[in-house]
């Protein structure tokens, strides 16, 4: 007899990793030494936040067969996230900046579980190289726009990009080239392939989420309203444009708009952005768009429970 497929509220697929942060006075310190390691990466942030809000969650990704990989497995479990699809690969170590999620293959995916999830959240970094590009597109196609399918426009520049600018919401000098222009000039073939991959991925998603740099890579425009309109034209039902200190613009195909300014939040060690998981919670709860975005912004404070 075929066993029924477990339906998760949220399955996220993509980049996770280990973040290292120095200990700061007034923040609970690590168990050993003056710096701490934390569970990080967009896919982990989404799953952990949604789990803390009472949702059943799981992650699809890869880690190295090393102590960092073991730490990620343990911390996901302790955070209430199902890690059955977080598998180790001997081909790569687990970098501090991110796990080897680009080694996900199409034949390793549980398509029944992906299809059954109430929300499937996938990060755009998987489009940056094979074999994960094919796996990312295969996962999106199997969803066939079922329920809520979120594409996070989280892009990974090719080597040789702008290593000095690591914060996508950091204001650029007025004379600086736009990220898309600079990136396209530095790696034209990679940039063109990524734009085509984004275009195909967006056709299978119902929600697109991204900061201004990522939206610009995907759409070729940077103004927030223009980004949202371009993403809707690409096929999604809801476009969520994160504008850093200026807040979030969300536009639905039915004309509903939420333009919510950022609220001051207390910084904390432990990195991890709670926005995505809280956005999932609001969408699953059936809240109106503005309430959902405000809730997600409030939860966008750094996650605080993964310190080791």
């Amino acid at each position: 007899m075929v066993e029924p497929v477990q339906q998760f509220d949220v399955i996220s697929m993509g980049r996770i990793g280990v973040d290292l942060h120095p200990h700061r006075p007034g923040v609970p310190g690590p168990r050993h030494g003056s710096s701490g390691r934390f569970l990080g990466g967009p896919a982990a942030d989404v799953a952990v936040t949604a789990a803390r809000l009472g949702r059943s969650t799981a992650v699809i990704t890869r880690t190295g067969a090393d102590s960092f990989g073991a730490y990620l497995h343990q911390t996901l479990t302790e955070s209430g996230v199902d890690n059955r699809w977080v598998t180790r690969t001997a081909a790569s170590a687990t970098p501090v900046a991110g796990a080897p999620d680009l080694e996900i293959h199409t034949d390793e995916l549980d398509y029944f579980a992906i299809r059954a999830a109430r929300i499937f959240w996938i990060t755009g970094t998987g489009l940056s190289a094979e074999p994960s590009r094919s796996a990312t597109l295969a996962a999106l196609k199997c969803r066939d726009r079922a329920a809520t399918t979120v594409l996070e426009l989280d892009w990974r520049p090719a080597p040789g990009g702008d290593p000095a600018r690591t914060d996508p919401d950091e204001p650029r000098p007025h004379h600086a080239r736009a990220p898309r222009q600079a990136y396209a000039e530095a790696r034209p073939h990679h940039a063109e392939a990524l734009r085509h991959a984004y275009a195909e991925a967006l056709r299978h998603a119902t929600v697109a989420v991204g900061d201004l740099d990522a939206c610009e890579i995907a759409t070729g425009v940077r103004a927030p309203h223009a980004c949202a309109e371009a993403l809707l034209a690409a096929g999604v039902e809801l476009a969520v444009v994160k504008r850093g200190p200026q807040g979030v613009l969300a536009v639905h195909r039915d004309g509903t708009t939420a333009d919510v300014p950022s609220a001051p939040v207390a910084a904390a060690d432990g990195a991890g952005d709670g926005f995505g998981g809280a956005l999932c919670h609001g969408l699953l709860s059936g809240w109106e768009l503005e309430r959902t975005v405000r809730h997600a912004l409030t939860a966008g404070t750094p996650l605080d429970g993964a310190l080791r």
Side-chain angles (χ1 to χ4, degrees), residues 11-99:
I11 294 179
S12 62
M13 173 174 165
R15 180 162 58 92
I16 72 171
V18 176
D19 295 338
L20 298 180
H21 295 279
H23 174 55
R24 293 187 292 110
V27 177
R31 292 176 181 173
H32 303 287
S34 59
S35 63
R37 60 180 180 178
F38 306 86
L39 175 66
D45 293 343
V46 167
V48 169
T49 302
R52 291 180 178 181
L53 292 168
R55 303 296 180 177
S56 59
T57 69
V59 175
I60 303 171
T61 193
R62 299 292 175 264
T63 71
D66 51 26
S67 61
F68 279 147
Y71 164 78
L72 294 176
H73 280 264
Q74 177 185 348
T75 308
L76 285 170
T77 300
E78 292 175 353
S79 300
V81 178
D82 192 301
N83 70 354
R84 70 182 71 182
W85 299 300
V86 182
T87 59
R88 297 175 176 87
T89 172
S92 300
T94 306
V96 173

Side-chain angles (χ1 to χ4, degrees), residues 7 43 46 80 98 102 124 138 164 174 190 201 209 238 251 261-263 278 284 292 308:
Q7 183 185 49
V46 167
L102 297 181
H174 69 276
H190 190 273
V209 179
L238 174 64
V251 181
S262 291
L284 289 169
T292 297
R308 290 290 180 272

Side-chain angles (χ1 to χ4, degrees), residues 173-231:
H174 69 276
H175 62 275
R177 293 172 297 168
R180 184 180 66 88
Q181 178 186 354
Y183 179 63
E185 291 175 1
R187 290 288 185 274
H189 298 299
H190 190 273
E192 184 69 17
L194 186 54
R195 282 194 293 271
H196 283 302
Y198 266 142
E200 183 174 357
L202 286 165
R203 289 197 292 270
H204 301 287
T206 62
V207 180
V209 179
D211 59 46
L212 291 176
D213 279 5
C215 288
E216 187 178 11
I217 290 288
T219 67
V221 296
R222 188 170 181 85
H225 281 276
C227 287
E229 292 301 326
L231 292 170

Side-chain angles (χ1 to χ4, degrees), residues 125-151:
T125 51
L127 296 170
S128 62
E130 292 290 1
S132 68
R133 179 181 298 150
S134 293
T136 296
L137 293 174
L140 287 168
K141 289 175 183 177
C142 97
R143 286 284 288 180
D144 194 24
R145 297 174 61 85
T148 300
T149 303
V150 184
L151 174 63

Side-chain angles (χ1 to χ4, degrees), residues 254-306:
D254 65 9
T256 306
T257 299
D259 193 346
V260 182
S262 291
V265 294
D269 284 335
D273 180 2
F275 181 90
L279 181 70
C280 290
H281 180 68
L283 293 173
L284 289 169
S285 299
W287 295 342
E288 60 157 2
L289 185 58
E290 183 166 345
R291 180 184 178 186
T292 297
V293 174
R294 288 190 182 278
H295 173 71
L297 271 173
T298 301
T301 28
L303 302 180
D304 59 1

